[in-house]
Amino acid sequence: MDTLNVIPSLLGRKWLNLFPTRHIVVLAFCTADGAQHAAKARVERMKRMETGKIAPLAAYLMADQSKDVSGQIFAVRANEIFLFNHNRPIRSVHRAEGWTPESVAEHAMPSLKAGFASLDRSADVFCWDPI
């Protein structure tokens, strides 16, 4: 049997994925307990990201070899190095008489809120675990 039709709500469990293999179909299901176990396992994998993984990049950036690298934003996640784009202004508010904490709360933040970045978790941004 190369394929198998599966009802996504099989046994009331959330259907995650169907992985066909040569002659076997492996189904991955997630129950509430399974999701909790998966989340705990992910946290344990994330704990393996040690600060020592940052040292090679930091040492390189302090060395003469990096003389042509300036103004860049880097991140390290386990054995991965990321280059980020630069933040640029996307919205602005002005108040001729200046700002007070109250006017910031009443006028600035409501005007700027549409441009707020979402507060994604690592799992929302990266579809793979740290390498």
Side-chain angles (χ1 to χ4, degrees):
M1 171 188 300
D2 289 339
T3 61
L4 179 65
N5 292 323
V6 179
I7 299 172
S9 60
L10 181 67
L11 302 176
R13 296 177 181 175
K14 182 178 177 185
W15 180 60
L16 290 182
N17 214 338
L18 178 68
F19 302 98
T21 59
R22 190 171 197 171
H23 295 288
I24 301 170
V25 174
V26 179
L27 299 174
F29 292 99
C30 182
T31 63
D33 290 338
Q36 190 174 31
H37 177 71
K40 286 181 181 179
R42 182 173 174 77
V43 168
E44 290 305 313
R45 287 190 301 272
M46 298 296 254
K47 286 180 182 178
R48 292 191 302 233
M49 294 191 309
E50 52 201 52
T51 55
K53 299 286 187 174
I54 300 168
L57 176 61
Y60 166 77
L61 291 171
M62 291 186 289
D64 289 339
Q65 291 175 303
S66 68
K67 69 180 184 301
D68 296 327
V69 180
S70 182
Q72 303 307 308
I73 303 169
F74 297 100
V76 175
R77 189 177 82 137
N79 294 321
E80 300 166 290
I81 297 176
F82 297 95
L83 174 65
F84 284 82
N85 63 352
H86 286 273
N87 296 322
R88 301 285 189 247
I90 58 171
R91 294 181 73 99
S92 170
V93 292
H94 174 266
R95 191 171 171 91
E97 61 274 15
W99 295 96
T100 66
E102 293 80 15
S103 63
V104 169
E106 293 172 10
H107 301 285
M109 287 304 117
S111 297
L112 297 172
K113 192 171 186 174
F116 283 9
S118 62
L119 299 178
D120 297 325
R121 300 171 304 136
S122 174
D124 298 329
V125 177
F126 298 104
C127 61
W128 66 94
D129 286 331
I131 299 172

